[in-house]
Amino acid sequence: MRFTVAIDGPAAAGKGTIGRRVAQRFGFAHLDTGLLYRAVGAKVLAGAEPEAAARALTPEDLSGPGLRTPEVAQAASRVAAVPQVRAALVDFQRDFARAEGGAVLDGRDIGTVICPGAEVKLFVTASAECRAERRLAELVAAGHDIGFETVLEDVKARDARDTGRNDAPLVAANDALVLDTTTLDVEQAVAQAIAAVEAKLR
Ligand code: CDP
Ligand code: CDP
């Protein structure tokens, strides 16, 4: 069976958490496409040229423990505005999406550019302050010495860059179900996402 769930939305909205849970529930594969851009961003911070770094990406590059920092997130958002970088990553994402057995992909342009024909599209969002609080809690739990204002700045700067770029800007697809998680806990958001998939599988 081929079945694609596309999850898009701004930074730290809960895309990955919902994506993982939906994938678990239905036995689908899950790809956090932000990791692709973070891995390219990390290579550029280390001196690589953006397009070359994107073309040379390997699965091992995606498991680096240092990819979750705000510095790498900013570098990811800068390389993500380069059309040649995005183009180099398209085939891998589309192949993943159409693999036998179902797939969930989360990012910024999955429902609009990568998989416009996805069976289910979700746009997950929340207020910037709420998203920054959640991301701060994750970073502190992972041992980072960082404050709320720094995280909020990262979130807002990336939202502005991701929404404002010409190539594959962050925007909800016309046919996406919008999930505003500002007042939803994880279980409530996951339940709504699962219901949307079930409705299409029936
Ligand atoms: O993938 P994305 O950056 O959109 O967000 P995430 O890493 O999945 O989620 C950020 C944090 O928000 C995680 O620690 C979640 O547990 C938390 N959270 C959520 O995802 N959804 C809610 N409704 C409430 C909290
Ligand atoms: O986890 P969080 O939502 O904070 O970010 P991410 O999903 O890891 O994405 C990092 C950056 O990669 C984003 O700010 C975007 O600039 C870029 N990105 C993108 O342009 N397109 C995607 N499909 C996924 C990520």
Side-chain angles (χ1 to χ4, degrees), residues 30-53:
H30 174 229
L31 178 65
D32 170 359
T33 66
L35 273 184
L36 303 173
Y37 294 91
R38 285 175 184 260
V40 175
K43 286 182 172 223
V44 168
L45 287 178
E49 189 277 321
E51 184 182 354

Side-chain angles (χ1 to χ4, degrees), residues 10-18 20 106 134-135 138 181 184-186 189:
K15 306 178 297 294
T17 303
I18 292 171
R20 265 191 306 280
D106 75 87
R134 293 173 182 171
R135 181 53 45 86
E138 286 180 317
T181 70
L184 296 179
D185 65 22
V186 173

Side-chain angles (χ1 to χ4, degrees), residues 37 49-52 54-55 79-90 167:
Y37 294 91
E49 189 277 321
E51 184 182 354
R55 292 195 179 285
V79 299
V82 179
Q84 292 84 348
V85 167
R86 306 200 71 84
L89 302 174
V90 166
D167 191 14

